[in-house]
């Protein structure tokens, strides 16, 4: 009998919690984990934080852009 260790994650945006056997298992389920491992995002929030560049994630303001008048 060995001691089982779990990789526990909490989403920075929505506080969703997940428990996985290791980091690779969490990544396979769609979690995004920052390079330093301090921040992580659930599969629902992860796409907003991927490939954002140096500016980072921009929160949506809820305003619609007007393309042209009808």
């Amino acid at each position: 009998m060995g001691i089982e260790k779990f990789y526990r994650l909490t989403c920075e945006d929505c506080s969703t919690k997940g428990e996985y056997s290791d980091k690779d298992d969490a990544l396979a389920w769609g979690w995004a984990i920052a390079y330093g491992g301090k921040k992580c995002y659930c599969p629902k929030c992860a796409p907003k934080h991927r490939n954002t560049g140096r500016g980072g994630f921009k929160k949506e303001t809820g305003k619609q852009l007007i393309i042209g008048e009808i």
Side-chain angles (χ1 to χ4, degrees):
M1 282 191 200
I3 297 173
E4 291 187 35
K5 293 184 180 179
F6 293 102
Y7 201 72
R8 292 183 177 95
L9 303 172
T10 303
C11 181
E12 292 288 320
D13 286 351
C14 65
S15 301
T16 300
K17 296 183 188 282
E19 191 172 279
Y20 299 95
S21 59
D22 60 4
K23 184 177 180 179
D24 293 331
D25 191 28
L27 293 173
W29 278 94
W31 282 77
I33 302 171
Y35 182 71
K38 293 183 179 182
K39 292 185 178 182
C40 57
Y41 304 98
C42 71
K44 179 184 165 197
C45 299
K48 296 184 288 189
H49 294 276
R50 288 193 174 111
N51 302 321
T52 57
R54 73 181 188 117
F57 169 65
K58 306 279 190 295
K59 293 187 178 183
E60 297 176 11
T61 59
K63 296 180 182 175
Q64 183 175 354
L65 296 174
I66 298 173
I67 296 174
E69 295 184 27
I70 297 176

